[in-house]
């Protein structure tokens, strides 16, 4: 178990385990007994306050509903989005950089 996630956080909420989302007919359906079927990990995602980063963190929830072979596409998409968010932070105008001390040497 990862040290950053406590046992209490790793437990599946009772209401999430009890009833699966509604089926196509709008009625609750029983959970499938297929152990290979995708199941949510219920990993907490704490908002950062940065809308671009938070959107990418929410995108990670898409992996909960995909088979393992579909996770890579989600992870690559999120990685690219986070990289773009970091690049945007670097591109924001800020105060001019102080002159380099080497600039004034003769």
């Amino acid at each position: 178990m990862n040290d950053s996630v406590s046992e209490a956080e790793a437990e599946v909420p009772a209401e999430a385990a009890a009833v699966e989302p509604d089926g196509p007919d709008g009625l609750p359906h029983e959970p499938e007994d297929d152990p290979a079927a995708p199941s949510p990990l219920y990993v907490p995602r704490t908002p950062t306050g940065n809308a671009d980063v938070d959107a990418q963190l929410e995108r990670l929830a898409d992996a909960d509903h995909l088979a393992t072979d579909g996770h890579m596409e989600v992870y690559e998409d999120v990685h690219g989005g986070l990289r773009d968010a970091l690049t945007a932070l670097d591109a924001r105008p800020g105060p001019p950089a102080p002159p380099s001390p080497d600039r004034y040497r003769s």
Side-chain angles (χ1 to χ4, degrees):
M1 177 166 290
N2 186 340
D3 292 335
S4 65
V5 178
S6 70
E7 288 184 31
E9 290 174 326
E11 291 180 11
V12 176
E15 61 274 3
V19 178
E20 288 290 311
D22 293 343
D25 56 2
L27 300 173
H29 61 85
E30 295 297 319
E32 295 181 21
D33 290 332
D34 182 5
S39 62
L41 297 174
Y42 299 107
V43 174
R45 287 177 293 278
T46 306
T48 65
N50 180 302
D52 294 333
V53 172
D54 291 342
Q56 295 305 317
L57 291 177
E58 285 304 314
R59 171 80 167 100
L60 287 174
D62 294 345
D64 283 347
H65 308 289
L66 299 172
T68 306
D69 61 351
H71 290 190
M72 186 60 73
E73 181 180 340
V74 173
Y75 296 152
E76 287 176 348
D77 185 42
V78 170
H79 181 258
L82 291 173
R83 187 178 37 232
D84 292 345
L86 286 172
T87 301
L89 290 174
D90 288 339
R92 290 185 184 161
S100 171
D102 294 335
R103 180 176 174 191
Y104 298 107
R105 289 191 185 172
S106 307

